[in-house]
Amino acid sequence: MALAAVLFAAEALAIRFMNQRGIPMEVQVFARAAGQLLWVAPLVAHSGLEVFRSARPGLHLLRGTCSLLTWGFYYASFGPLDLATATVLSFTNVMFTTLLAGPVLGERVDRWRWAGTIAGFLGVAVMLRPGTSVSLVGVALAIASATAWCGITLSSRVLARSERNSTIMAWVGLVTTAGVTPFAVMAWVPLGSFDLAFLLGFALFTPAIIWLLTSAYRHGEASALAPFQYLRLVVVAGFGWAIFHEVPDGWTWAGAAVILAGAVVITVAEARRQ
């Protein structure tokens, strides 16, 4: 889980670096999606189209669409926001998941999960106090990404009951690559050999994040592991300061602390419920 957090942070740093290099966001998302396909290519080569066999193709399509929207909004949020703020706002996905778990999955939302959700949104309000210098457009993009992210979580819970991980990954790679390709083609600009090599490396390492998360939860308890994912804020903030000279103000850190506290409360309550 700690290594996954570091790779999450590396992804954020890579996005900021590619933005500064002038690589279009659509091309970045295409690299992320194509990387997912590269990871499942050996499975496809071994079993052919069998890996895509599913009784719920519609739900796979929904999950893939949510993944594409999540990546698109998340990557776009790093343009107007500093690294730490964009990362903190991504943690609000657990709040949106809690709000929708009841009506969508029929789960009972207990008082601890409600408390964590309310705390998280209060933290956002603190970060967006009157007179803030935080970009409202950037915040909207980050919140949109978190909302789409909860679509990934909820659809994955349903798919995990009957589908193999390989089938889920294959469908995600197919849907996201097909969905972003037209936008990447329209946004394409000539790139040098260094930028192309960087994109390839980015495509190859980012799918490892999901693999590491899945492996972590397979070998350890969710309540013990979940707090380690918030290490990525420490790494992102540290490198954002050291490399890009980004220093969030005190109110941003205060709001971040409230959001993280709410996310931890929800995560622990969820683990105990299961």
Side-chain angles (χ1 to χ4, degrees), residues 172-231:
V172 170
L174 179 64
V175 173
T176 54
T177 303
V180 75
T181 295
F183 299 98
V185 170
M186 289 187 291
W188 179 261
V189 295
L191 299 175
S193 57
F194 174 82
D195 290 332
L196 290 173
F198 192 90
L199 277 171
L200 178 60
F202 181 75
L204 291 175
F205 93 78
T206 45
I209 297 171
I210 303 303
W211 185 86
L212 286 167
L213 288 174
T214 303
S215 299
Y217 282 119
R218 182 178 295 116
H219 294 289
E221 295 181 0
S223 58
L225 291 171
F228 283 89
Q229 67 180 304
Y230 304 117
L231 283 173

Side-chain angles (χ1 to χ4, degrees), residues 10-103:
E11 179 187 31
L13 293 169
I15 294 168
R16 174 53 52 84
F17 178 74
M18 289 188 289
N19 287 343
Q20 292 189 345
R21 297 282 299 182
I23 300 176
M25 181 270 293
E26 296 87 348
V27 176
Q28 298 176 32
V29 177
F30 173 79
R32 176 66 178 86
Q36 189 88 8
L37 272 185
L38 288 174
W39 270 60
V40 299
L43 296 174
V44 177
H46 179 263
S47 60
L49 297 180
E50 180 66 25
V51 72
F52 291 99
R53 185 182 297 277
S54 171
R56 314 195 74 166
L59 194 56
H60 282 293
L61 182 61
L62 173 63
R63 192 202 182 285
T65 301
C66 288
S67 293
L68 183 57
L69 291 173
T70 298
W71 297 343
F73 290 133
Y74 180 64
Y75 285 24
S77 70
F78 283 98
L81 296 177
D82 62 73
L83 291 167
T85 301
T87 300
V88 167
L89 290 173
S90 72
F91 295 141
T92 59
N93 76 86
V94 297
M95 289 81 180
F96 290 110
T97 301
T98 297
L99 291 175
L100 293 175

Side-chain angles (χ1 to χ4, degrees), residues 67-267:
S67 293
L68 183 57
L69 291 173
T70 298
W71 297 343
F73 290 133
Y74 180 64
Y75 285 24
S77 70
F78 283 98
L81 296 177
D82 62 73
L83 291 167
T85 301
T87 300
V88 167
L89 290 173
S90 72
F91 295 141
T92 59
N93 76 86
V94 297
M95 289 81 180
F96 290 110
T97 301
T98 297
L99 291 175
L100 293 175
V104 174
L105 299 179
E107 295 180 359
R108 184 180 67 86
V109 181
D110 61 27
R111 64 181 184 275
W112 289 108
R113 293 166 77 187
W114 277 117
T117 300
I118 294 171
F121 289 123
L122 286 176
V124 174
V126 171
M127 294 177 69
L128 301 181
R129 69 203 180 282
T132 181
S133 59
V134 176
S135 167
L136 294 181
V137 173
V139 170
L141 289 169
I143 295 297
S145 172
T147 305
W149 195 336
C150 82
I152 297 175
T153 302
L154 296 174
S155 59
S156 295
R157 287 185 186 179
V158 177
L159 287 170
R161 297 169 185 169
S162 60
E163 302 292 301
R164 298 169 297 172
N165 283 348
S166 58
T167 299
I168 295 173
M169 290 181 65
W171 273 93
V172 170
L174 179 64
V175 173
T176 54
T177 303
V180 75
T181 295
F183 299 98
V185 170
M186 289 187 291
W188 179 261
V189 295
L191 299 175
S193 57
F194 174 82
D195 290 332
L196 290 173
F198 192 90
L199 277 171
L200 178 60
F202 181 75
L204 291 175
F205 93 78
T206 45
I209 297 171
I210 303 303
W211 185 86
L212 286 167
L213 288 174
T214 303
S215 299
Y217 282 119
R218 182 178 295 116
H219 294 289
E221 295 181 0
S223 58
L225 291 171
F228 283 89
Q229 67 180 304
Y230 304 117
L231 283 173
R232 64 183 167 114
L233 175 59
V234 178
V235 179
V236 163
F239 279 101
W241 169 74
I243 299 175
F244 301 107
H245 309 292
E246 296 178 352
V247 183
D249 62 22
W251 284 103
T252 299
W253 283 119
V258 178
I259 291 173
L260 290 177
V264 170
V265 168
I266 292 172
T267 302

